[in-house]
Amino acid sequence: VQLVESGGGSVQAGGSLRLSCAVSGFTYNSYSMGWFRQAPGKEREWVAIIDSDGTTTYANSVEGRFAISQDNGKNTLYLQLNSLKPEDTATYYCAAASVRLAWWARLSSARYNYWGQGTQVTVSS
């Protein structure tokens, strides 16, 4: 299984980016996938999760600004980032779990089997 992120960059506050995660070798039909981020000196935190049935969950800090989606035909996971703030600056990682995680488990990075290498998002004020 391989996950490869792209789409990061530097933007000004209020700007937008779209992150992509190309997934290969992942053959599970029931799963959870998501985006996490880690800022310097901080722990990795979850941002948005999507299940194989399309159910989505967002962290309060990004609700209404970010949108997670998947294109199963292209085996790609997306994260649309709108109204970006300086505090969104971090390395963003996509992750996949080979099972659909229960609601209490999906927010924990330890539950995800596969990870990408990360893509940097920098938001300036």
Side-chain angles (χ1 to χ4, degrees):
V1 178
Q2 189 173 22
L3 283 68
V4 180
E5 301 100 333
S6 61
S10 297
V11 297
Q12 291 190 326
S16 298
L17 286 171
R18 188 174 82 156
L19 307 183
S20 299
C21 176
V23 182
S24 59
F26 191 83
T27 59
Y28 305 96
N29 293 320
S30 183
Y31 57 82
S32 295
M33 289 190 180
W35 290 92
F36 291 73
R37 67 185 181 186
Q38 187 167 19
K42 295 187 177 181
E43 292 189 355
R44 189 170 298 189
E45 63 175 0
W46 75 281
V47 175
I49 309 296
I50 188 166
D51 289 332
S52 45
D53 68 351
T55 301
T56 58
T57 308
Y58 295 94
N60 289 338
S61 59
V62 306
E63 179 86 49
R65 299 189 299 120
F66 291 8
I68 188 172
S69 61
Q70 57 187 347
D71 184 333
N72 292 330
K74 294 183 179 180
N75 294 326
T76 304
L77 182 70
Y78 299 102
L79 185 68
Q80 178 68 41
L81 293 71
N82 298 325
S83 302
L84 282 161
K85 304 176 181 180
E87 51 264 43
D88 294 319
T89 295
T91 300
Y92 284 70
Y93 300 89
C94 64
S98 56
V99 296
R100 183 181 175 185
L101 298 172
W103 65 268
W104 52 268
R106 64 177 58 185
L107 309 185
S108 170
S109 62
R111 300 287 181 171
Y112 291 80
N113 313 74
Y114 307 104
W115 290 84
Q117 82 289 348
T119 186
Q120 178 67 36
V121 172
T122 303
V123 185
S124 58
S125 58

